[in-house]
Amino acid sequence: MQELCIKEASAADLGGVRAVMLDAVYRDFGTGYVPRWHADIIDPVAFYLAPPRHTLLVAVDERDGTVAATAALDARGPAHPPNPRRLAERYPSGETAQLRRVYVRPEFRRRGLARRLVAGLVDFAEADGGYRSVYLHAYPHSPGAMGLWRALGEVVCDEREEVPGGGSGVVHFEIPLPK
């Protein structure tokens, strides 16, 4: 069993970070790289490492430095459009810790890495002191996503059921901050 450590991403990890994220958007989502959706993948420093209230965590194989998984947090709430207006109002930027890019390479799945990364992000949000909620959206076809997010949080909007025409098919979640 490989020894994997959870840590904040460093400059040395960025190539592996991009590889994990790009692999996910091509393999798991089938969209490929779309600049308006994925600019953060190309420049994770500007989106997650430079801003003081943002972070990017990685699970790294301590033996060879392989990035096995990623998870990011930023202070941008869901935008309307494309998300329902009520979500943009409920989760405003600056007060909302949005989880993003929680991706695990297939060969490292089913080891609790995503859960450990999310716990680290929630701890980061709590320590910040300025976030009042933790929000994320997930695509139901993403491998393992629905089970993980339902175990960790609460569905606040399932577009497939609540938005005319199914919206973009996204399921929105809130994860409780520790009290």
Side-chain angles (χ1 to χ4, degrees), residues 105-176:
R105 287 188 179 279
E107 64 271 26
F108 292 98
R109 290 181 182 158
R110 311 292 307 160
R111 298 182 190 189
L113 289 177
R115 189 178 292 267
R116 288 174 52 202
L117 287 162
V118 170
L121 295 177
V122 170
D123 289 347
F124 179 90
E126 181 184 28
D128 175 85
Y131 293 117
R132 66 172 183 79
S133 57
V134 177
Y135 161 89
L136 68 112
H137 70 267
Y139 293 93
H141 62 275
S142 179
M146 291 299 102
L148 173 68
W149 300 125
R150 287 182 193 281
L152 296 177
E154 171 188 350
V155 174
V156 293
C157 176
D158 185 335
E159 289 190 22
R160 300 169 300 171
E161 299 169 2
E162 300 175 40
V163 175
S168 59
V170 172
V171 181
H172 305 265
F173 292 85
E174 183 172 332
I175 296 177

Side-chain angles (χ1 to χ4, degrees), residues 6-79:
I6 305 293
K7 65 179 188 118
E8 186 172 41
S10 68
D13 301 316
L14 295 181
V17 164
R18 289 183 193 98
V20 169
M21 293 179 180
L22 287 170
D23 285 351
V25 300
Y26 279 91
R27 178 193 56 246
D28 297 335
F29 301 121
T31 62
Y33 175 75
V34 179
R36 72 179 187 276
W37 298 339
H38 304 126
D40 62 306
I41 293 174
I42 301 305
D43 192 3
V45 172
F47 281 85
Y48 303 120
L49 299 181
R53 298 184 69 216
H54 298 190
T55 194
L56 172 60
L57 301 181
V58 290
V60 176
D61 185 330
E62 293 182 311
R63 294 174 306 157
D64 64 8
T66 299
V67 176
T70 63
L73 177 150
D74 68 31
R76 296 178 293 146

